[in-house]
Amino acid sequence: MPSEPHSARRVAVPADPAMLERAAGELAAFAAASGVTGDELARLDLALGEVLANIVAHARPVGNAERGMVELSLSAGPDAVLVTVEDRAAVADVDLADVSMPAVDAESGRGLALALAVLDGFAHDEREGGGNRWTLRLDRRRG
């Protein structure tokens, strides 16, 4: 986790399929302004896209609430790049320790496994007040 981010950005996007493109654009703009390398951006873009696609496909609003917004927090420091995704949907029943790549002929189920494969840290927890928090960490390579 970067102790003092060189740069940070927070943005809210509607929790619908269009958020994937908007979030990718926000991540690319942040990367360009923050010195995130092309390899780092590619890995983060893949992982973020998979998390957001899962939110679109599986997140269920709580009670009669509408889907609402998804908040993205982006920060880059000398040691790591962090992306935090927060929603107000029902808490996802997922244990990342149990996630693995499905069979070759499976039609779905690769998203979280891909994110785990390309990230240096990946966590899910319930956010205070309800909803989900997904934390994506990419360690900066030195030398």
Side-chain angles (χ1 to χ4, degrees):
M1 187 179 239
S3 54
E4 294 198 25
H6 286 305
S7 58
R9 178 179 292 182
R10 189 165 177 88
V11 62
V13 294
D16 61 35
M19 83 170 156
L20 289 116
E21 186 175 338
R22 169 117 187 259
E26 292 287 345
L27 180 61
F30 173 76
S34 304
V36 172
T37 68
D39 176 66
E40 291 169 337
L41 175 58
R43 292 168 61 200
L44 286 167
D45 187 55
L46 173 64
L48 179 59
E50 294 298 340
V51 168
L52 294 177
N54 276 346
I55 290 171
V56 169
H58 304 293
R60 299 293 169 249
V62 177
N64 292 329
E66 293 188 25
R67 279 176 140 346
M69 302 296 280
V70 172
E71 296 174 4
L72 305 175
S73 297
L74 312 164
S75 65
D79 299 322
V81 182
L82 293 176
V83 178
T84 303
V85 180
E86 295 181 308
D87 66 39
R88 296 235 179 252
V91 178
D93 183 19
V94 63
D95 183 351
L96 294 176
D98 291 337
V99 171
S100 62
M101 194 62 72
V104 173
D105 59 348
E107 294 183 17
S108 65
R110 290 177 179 78
L112 296 181
L114 285 170
L116 279 165
V118 300
L119 295 170
D120 297 304
F122 186 34
H124 169 263
D125 62 309
E126 181 177 354
R127 67 184 269 183
E128 189 174 324
N132 298 280
R133 178 181 303 108
W134 302 89
T135 305
L136 295 66
R137 188 188 84 248
L138 189 65
D139 295 339
R140 310 294 303 264
R141 308 293 188 232
R142 296 179 195 229

